[in-house]
Amino acid sequence: MSQLSTDHLLGIKDLTPEDIQLIFKTADQFKEVINRPIKKVPSLRDITIANLFFENSTRTKLSFELAEKRLSADVLNFSASGSSLSKGETLIDTANNILAMKVDMIVMRHPNPGAAEFLSRRVKATIINAGDGTHEHPTQALLDAFSIRERLGDLSGKKVAVVGDILHSRVALSNVFCLQKAGAEVMLCGPRTLMPLHAESLGVKVSYRLEEALEWCDVANMLRVQKERMDKGYFPSIREYAMQYGLTMKKLKAASRDIVIMHPGPINRGVEITSEVADSDYSIILNQVENGVAIRMAVLYLLANT
Ligand code: CP
């Protein structure tokens, strides 16, 4: 069996193009499994996995839990609220106490960039980053790229625009790394105030006009405006943001070719995307969610066997 080049999944930055293709091929097999009447395999029967979520999540948390259960792993779920963190326990102490219960792998979402890497250097367990602040969200990028591959075929030469609040988005950075390693071209599009200063240094195109991005791309990945990470006003009002950067059916149809529409969720309907677009045949938003389970099964399986 082929193996990943890494012991942890901390970010797409650490994966090789071969790792990404291996994850896709493994996810192809697991996608077939989860569409069978019996959706469970015994692959991780002897593995115990703890899901540590220090930040809210719907999709990622449930998707990891389901992936672990489909692989027959034993699963522990930890949420920061209601835990002893409020009594002053550190992240390392929390993790080591959980690991003392004979846990093999930790899936962690944390508000601080670098938290997953920090943990990986200090505890004896395989660490999977389920989103660390504004830094990376590797499994989201893998499921996004896998979903494009499913809809359009090989990613080589495909043009993907990532649109919206780039500055606060871990999905944007992981998407850039993942899509480039899979051979796609990437454009980042959003208001100047929500674009990182040195965005071009990532080897991407940059646009401040949604219409220009739509004219260029095969796929548009619409990002959520992350109000909770904004310490000041980055645009005059939500209404004006929606007018400039919100994707409507009129803007989509004005583009000269059909575009595949994605969104990592949760959606602010009527802000970055209208319901008409989100629920249309252009959208693969729920396919992304479905593929998330297969991708996470692949990552867990491969890391458990590295
Ligand atoms: N896409 C994503 O990470 O969604 P959640 O925050 O609900 O996990």
Side-chain angles (χ1 to χ4, degrees):
M1 181 187 58
S2 302
Q3 292 191 320
L4 293 176
S5 66
T6 172
D7 294 334
H8 308 278
L9 179 57
L10 306 177
I12 300 290
K13 198 162 193 291
D14 306 322
L15 296 182
T16 63
E18 293 73 29
D19 287 332
I20 292 171
Q21 294 308 324
L22 176 60
I23 292 168
F24 288 170
K25 284 190 185 123
T26 312
D28 285 336
Q29 291 167 14
F30 284 129
K31 179 142 188 192
E32 198 200 310
V33 168
I34 59 181
N35 280 299
R36 286 184 202 153
I38 297 170
K39 299 172 171 55
K40 223 164 159 164
V41 287
S43 314
L44 299 194
R45 202 176 38 201
D46 302 323
I47 300 283
T48 304
I49 304 172
N51 300 316
L52 275 53
F53 277 72
F54 296 90
E55 207 184 55
N56 294 343
S57 170
T58 299
R59 278 146 291 271
T60 312
K61 190 174 176 191
L62 293 177
S63 180
F64 265 113
E65 186 175 345
L66 196 56
E68 291 152 4
K69 289 179 172 168
R70 297 274 191 252
L71 291 166
S72 305
D74 289 323
V75 179
L76 288 178
N77 285 312
F78 168 94
S79 294
S81 62
S83 76
S84 287
L85 280 174
S86 62
K87 300 175 197 163
E89 191 167 48
T90 65
L91 172 62
I92 301 294
D93 280 339
T94 301
N96 274 326
N97 276 271
I98 290 167
L99 292 174
M101 301 177 205
K102 308 295 175 205
V103 167
D104 305 290
M105 302 174 90
I106 289 179
V107 174
M108 183 171 78
R109 171 167 288 191
H110 199 282
N112 295 347
E117 181 172 357
F118 174 85
L119 197 62
S120 73
R121 291 176 188 274
R122 286 165 180 83
V123 301
K124 283 195 171 60
T126 300
I127 308 295
I128 299 176
N129 180 6
D132 59 335
T134 55
H135 180 222
E136 279 226 43
H137 192 349
T139 55
Q140 180 69 45
L142 288 163
L143 74 88
D144 289 345
F146 184 80
S147 301
I148 297 170
R149 171 181 172 269
E150 185 176 72
R151 179 59 71 102
L152 298 181
D154 185 9
L155 278 108
S156 191
K158 299 293 182 304
K159 294 177 176 172
V160 183
V162 182
V163 180
D165 181 0
I166 310 295
L167 187 66
H168 300 103
S169 174
R170 52 192 171 216
V171 175
L173 188 61
S174 288
N175 258 261
V176 169
F177 292 145
C178 190
L179 291 165
Q180 288 177 338
K181 288 180 187 202
E185 288 182 61
V186 185
M187 176 185 277
L188 296 177
C189 173
R192 282 179 196 276
T193 50
L194 292 174
M195 188 65 68
L197 273 182
H198 304 292
E200 279 100 348
S201 68
L202 293 166
V204 298
K205 292 182 186 300
V206 173
S207 173
Y208 304 105
R209 286 185 51 242
L210 177 58
E211 289 74 10
E212 183 180 43
L214 295 176
E215 206 47 58
W216 175 82
C217 70
D218 303 306
V219 180
N221 194 353
M222 307 303 297
L223 301 181
R224 183 174 67 88
V225 172
Q226 302 204 20
K227 275 287 200 190
E228 75 278 17
R229 296 194 206 277
M230 294 185 185
D231 51 2
K232 56 183 182 245
Y234 286 83
F235 42 81
S237 68
I238 281 286
R239 193 162 159 265
E240 286 185 57
Y241 178 89
M243 281 168 65
Q244 297 283 324
Y245 294 98
L247 183 58
T248 61
M249 196 54 92
K250 190 174 170 200
K251 289 181 199 170
L252 189 55
K253 290 207 162 151
S256 52
R257 53 182 155 175
D258 280 355
I259 300 170
V260 176
I261 302 304
M262 305 173 69
H263 193 302
I267 297 175
N268 289 315
R269 286 176 181 262
V271 180
E272 62 268 3
I273 189 168
T274 61
S275 287
E276 195 185 6
V277 176
D279 302 332
S280 72
D281 289 342
Y282 294 96
S283 163
I284 58 166
I285 293 171
L286 292 180
N287 304 76
Q288 292 172 258
V289 178
E290 181 186 347
N291 288 333
V293 178
I295 281 288
R296 289 174 176 121
M297 286 174 80
V299 165
L300 291 161
Y301 173 80
L302 290 166
L303 285 174
N305 289 288
T306 294

